[in-house]
Amino acid sequence: MINKLNSKNTIILVVLVVILLLLGWVFLINYQPDSKAKYGKLDRYNLSSLVNIRYLPVSVSIKTKTVLPKAISVYKIDQRYFGRAKAQEIAQRLGFQNEPTILKAKDTKTNLNWSQAGKALNINETTGQISYSNPSAPISDTSQNFLSEAELITRTEQVLKDFGFGFRDLTVDAKNIKYFTGSGEDVFETEDKSKANFVELNFNLRIAEKELFLEQPSRSPVQFLLTRAGEIFQFYYSIVEYTSDNAVYPVNTLEQITPRFVKKYGVVVSPSTAETLLDSKLIKSIVVEDIELVYVDDGVSKYLMPTYLLRGVATLGQDEILVALYVPAITERWLK
Amino acid sequence: MIPRDIVKIVVFGLGIVFLLIVVYLVFTKFVQGEGGLLVETNPSGARVVIDDKDYKTPATIGQLTPGQHKITTMKEGFKERTDIVEVKKDTTTKVKLWLYSSELSPSIFKSSIAEEQKTLTDFEKLIQYLPYSNLHLNIEYLVVAKEPSIKITLYARLNRADQIESYKQQLTDYGQEALDWIKSKGVNTEKLNIIWAPKNPFKS
């Protein structure tokens, strides 16, 4: 009798252990690191687009089997703006002796504007973006050689250091150094280096192996347009200081990136010009063929937002064009 | 010793079987037929593998059996892609495949736009210059019933009934001026859906 009870108890115990193991296994399989989402619910980014597919009769289909991660780190932005004193210092380094004009726009973006001898500098105190242009910079004779690419890289890196922007993870896009011709505001890309007046250097930022994109994906966070003599003709800077501290958030699975989801939250970001896009009302369909996880900085968010960059083909009238869209990567549950 | 009749029967039987096989092969080939593919990639110059054979895009591939075929497309700097395409009997099916750069950076979006600009449609070429107007005409872009259109308005003057002939002449001249201006932008006017106001001066 005792033996019988013992064997029954043993069987029950074994069954319970097996059930517990199964439950543990199921839990581990479905585990998503929500508990680590220590920044709480995140604000949605606010991106603008010429094409709002949400309100257009555009059919969307997803034709990709890309394997997506289950979670990603979200980086908090320490500060967007580096302060008035540093802004003044940058202005002085670029040769501005005067005081800036302060423009406060409706959306509370405060712009500091310097203008002197044809040169213009704008520093946005909300976003921390800097844009400088010197259309009157002397354009060297095309007989003068460009500085070597290595010299150009050293020179631009030194400019960033002088401004105090020796930011980590920032690397020059050495494979895509481009040449431009023209003058003033009208500058065109050329493949013929001998006819070029300017050279463009871009610096990109990779955070934990993921590329950082701005609202306009074709714009690198740091851009220099230099003359043959290496003088700055145009300069653009849009890098924010982010913390190394981060929080892991679950991201949408491929199954969750449905045509309906893309229609609702998708922001068409490329082509970004009306000339190439014609009339967005002509877009009949978008077929998504590629998905990559990237970070996007919209210029106002408190975080570098993990975002899916969708690439695909749009049918536009009788033609097809390549398009790129941003959709939120963080699961709906963790977005406000 | 095998009787001669049996040998004859066996040879005859084998002949029939051979004939049936030949008829079957010819018949199935005839019924099944052949098809072709025109494979284009953007950017072009990609390596395409179909049925273990290599081609370079744009590639016209004939003598394919109708049905599904696997196409693998490769190009340096771009992600490899595999697609299943349907080959139809007695038809050359056009397949256009877009390649996506394997390295992701803002530069690729610049180049992709440049690539598109190389293959601008007539509408795209023209729209950059619109709207355009002078004393004789106005040219604008608009969408009518979801179709892209070019509207040409001609400013011919008609104040009195006796001016009807000169009015008609003005319409023709201004209409030609509008078409010449469009052609000067490298655009084929015959490919455009043109809406005339007033009516088309070149149609009686």
Side-chain angles (χ1 to χ4, degrees):
Chain A
M1 185 75 179
I2 290 167
N3 280 345
K4 268 189 180 178
L5 273 174
N6 277 345
S7 64
K8 258 189 183 179
N9 285 342
T10 309
I11 290 167
I12 290 167
L13 199 68
V14 168
V15 168
L16 278 172
V17 167
V18 169
I19 288 170
L20 275 173
L21 282 173
L22 276 172
L23 284 172
W25 182 65
V26 169
F27 173 77
L28 279 175
I29 280 180
N30 292 301
Y31 173 72
Q32 289 197 324
D34 288 4
S35 57
K36 292 184 183 173
K38 64 182 176 188
Y39 302 142
K41 286 196 172 189
L42 307 173
D43 285 319
R44 287 175 192 277
Y45 47 39
N46 183 22
L47 299 171
S48 61
S49 170
L50 284 168
V51 187
N52 200 339
I53 56 168
R54 190 172 180 178
Y55 303 109
L56 293 173
V58 177
S59 74
V60 175
S61 54
I62 316 284
K63 285 186 182 170
T64 177
K65 289 174 182 168
T66 313
V67 179
L68 302 177
K70 282 191 170 182
I72 189 170
S73 295
V74 171
Y75 292 84
K76 195 173 184 178
I77 292 168
D78 251 358
Q79 64 171 53
R80 288 201 165 272
Y81 177 52
F82 32 79
R84 184 75 60 95
K86 192 164 175 178
Q88 299 268 19
E89 190 194 321
I90 291 166
Q92 277 174 12
R93 281 191 179 275
L94 289 166
F96 293 94
Q97 309 298 326
N98 52 356
E99 285 297 308
T101 312
I102 300 169
L103 296 171
K104 196 169 172 66
K106 276 182 191 172
D107 57 1
T108 72
K109 285 182 181 177
T110 304
N111 281 295
L112 304 176
N113 284 297
W114 283 264
S115 181
Q116 188 181 308
K119 297 189 293 187
L121 171 67
N122 174 277
I123 297 179
N124 187 311
E125 287 195 316
T126 312
T127 63
Q129 288 163 345
I130 304 169
S131 88
Y132 165 79
S133 69
N134 183 11
S136 56
I139 299 168
S140 323
D141 194 279
T142 46
S143 59
Q144 183 186 347
N145 287 333
F146 275 105
L147 293 176
S148 71
E149 291 185 349
E151 281 175 307
L152 289 167
I153 291 169
T154 310
R155 186 169 284 215
T156 47
E157 281 175 341
Q158 189 56 49
V159 170
L160 290 174
K161 270 185 196 165
D162 291 345
F163 289 163
F165 292 142
F167 205 77
R168 65 183 191 274
D169 306 329
L170 193 63
T171 51
V172 68
D173 189 353
K175 282 185 193 168
N176 290 295
I177 293 177
K178 295 180 177 179
Y179 292 86
F180 290 80
T181 185
S183 62
E185 297 294 319
D186 297 323
V187 179
F188 309 98
E189 190 180 340
T190 176
E191 287 175 8
D192 188 352
K193 193 176 164 182
S194 67
K195 287 180 185 168
N197 305 115
F198 309 104
V199 57
E200 185 191 83
L201 262 83
N202 293 292
F203 287 76
N204 296 324
L205 196 66
R206 279 180 80 80
I207 305 155
E209 301 298 307
K210 303 273 181 292
E211 196 74 28
L212 174 76
F213 281 93
L214 303 181
E215 192 171 3
Q216 191 185 331
S218 59
R219 173 159 247 182
S220 289
V222 180
Q223 283 181 348
F224 282 95
L225 196 63
L226 304 162
T227 62
R228 280 179 175 255
E231 251 193 271
I232 303 175
F233 187 74
Q234 282 173 15
F235 168 62
Y236 177 79
Y237 183 93
S238 178
I239 298 274
V240 290
E241 285 188 24
Y242 60 92
T243 56
S244 51
D245 179 44
N246 57 72
V248 179
Y249 278 76
V251 293
N252 289 313
T253 62
L254 191 59
E255 290 72 33
Q256 284 169 310
I257 306 169
T258 59
R260 198 175 164 191
F261 180 81
V262 175
K263 271 277 280 183
K264 193 171 178 185
Y265 299 111
V267 180
V268 178
V269 286
S270 175
S272 53
T273 55
E275 287 88 345
T276 46
L277 202 56
L278 275 176
D279 189 331
S280 59
K281 286 173 188 163
L282 296 178
I283 296 184
K284 291 173 185 164
S285 65
I286 293 174
V287 180
V288 175
E289 297 189 313
D290 184 69
I291 300 182
E292 293 270 2
L293 191 54
V294 299
Y295 286 101
V296 169
D297 182 17
D298 63 355
V300 288
S301 291
K302 291 175 191 163
Y303 307 94
L304 294 176
M305 290 301 286
T307 303
Y308 282 122
L309 176 63
L310 314 182
R311 289 187 285 175
V313 183
T315 311
L316 192 83
Q318 302 298 313
D319 305 301
E320 286 184 338
I321 58 163
L322 269 185
V323 288
L325 300 95
Y326 290 145
V327 294
I330 301 293
T331 53
E332 280 300 292
R333 182 181 162 200
W334 288 104
L335 291 176
K336 283 181 190 168
Chain B
M1 205 49 193
I2 304 164
R4 219 179 238 185
D5 287 349
I6 291 175
V7 172
K8 272 184 184 175
I9 289 166
V10 169
V11 169
F12 183 73
L14 285 172
I16 291 290
V17 169
F18 177 74
L19 199 67
L20 282 173
I21 290 169
V22 169
V23 167
Y24 172 77
L25 288 174
V26 171
F27 182 74
T28 49
K29 186 88 177 168
F30 178 74
V31 171
Q32 202 176 36
E34 283 176 346
L37 283 175
L38 169 60
V39 184
E40 291 178 348
T41 55
N42 195 327
S44 58
R47 182 181 157 219
V48 180
V49 181
I50 304 172
D51 297 345
D52 297 326
K53 284 181 187 167
D54 272 29
Y55 303 90
K56 193 177 178 186
T57 61
T60 308
I61 305 148
Q63 297 181 322
L64 292 170
T65 51
Q68 291 192 332
H69 289 257
K70 192 169 92 172
I71 298 185
T72 307
T73 318
M74 290 153 270
K75 187 173 171 74
E76 198 183 334
F78 294 85
K79 291 182 178 179
E80 182 179 312
R81 63 177 291 168
T82 301
D83 296 85
I84 304 292
V85 293
E86 185 81 25
V87 173
K88 290 174 186 165
K89 186 189 163 189
D90 301 332
T91 308
T92 300
T93 309
K94 189 177 170 183
V95 180
K96 188 170 183 184
L97 303 170
W98 293 79
L99 302 178
Y100 299 92
S101 53
S102 45
E103 222 173 274
L104 203 59
S105 79
S107 303
I108 66 157
F109 290 96
K110 282 182 193 165
S111 54
S112 68
I113 288 171
E115 190 68 32
E116 282 152 19
Q117 281 169 343
K118 283 176 196 166
T119 55
L120 287 179
T121 64
D122 285 288
F123 270 108
E124 284 171 312
K125 279 180 204 164
L126 189 59
I127 200 170
Q128 303 173 55
Y129 305 100
L130 299 182
Y132 169 78
S133 63
N134 63 24
L135 287 172
H136 300 156
L137 52 97
N138 179 65
I139 306 173
E140 61 189 317
Y141 168 78
L142 72 162
V143 180
V144 178
K146 293 185 179 177
E147 289 301 323
S149 309
I150 298 297
K151 185 180 179 185
I152 301 176
T153 309
L154 306 173
Y155 302 137
R157 288 178 191 172
L158 178 66
N159 297 322
R160 299 189 310 271
D162 62 338
Q163 290 176 335
I164 191 71
E165 285 309 314
S166 73
Y167 172 74
K168 281 181 184 171
Q169 189 57 48
Q170 276 182 43
L171 284 180
T172 314
D173 292 346
Y174 296 170
Q176 192 57 52
E177 187 182 337
L179 294 179
D180 290 344
W181 181 84
I182 292 171
K183 283 175 191 164
S184 74
K185 306 301 172 200
V187 174
N188 183 354
T189 52
E190 287 172 10
K191 288 187 178 176
L192 301 176
N193 178 29
I194 298 177
I195 297 164
W196 293 90
K199 65 175 190 168
N200 187 343
F202 304 105
K203 277 188 179 174
S204 53

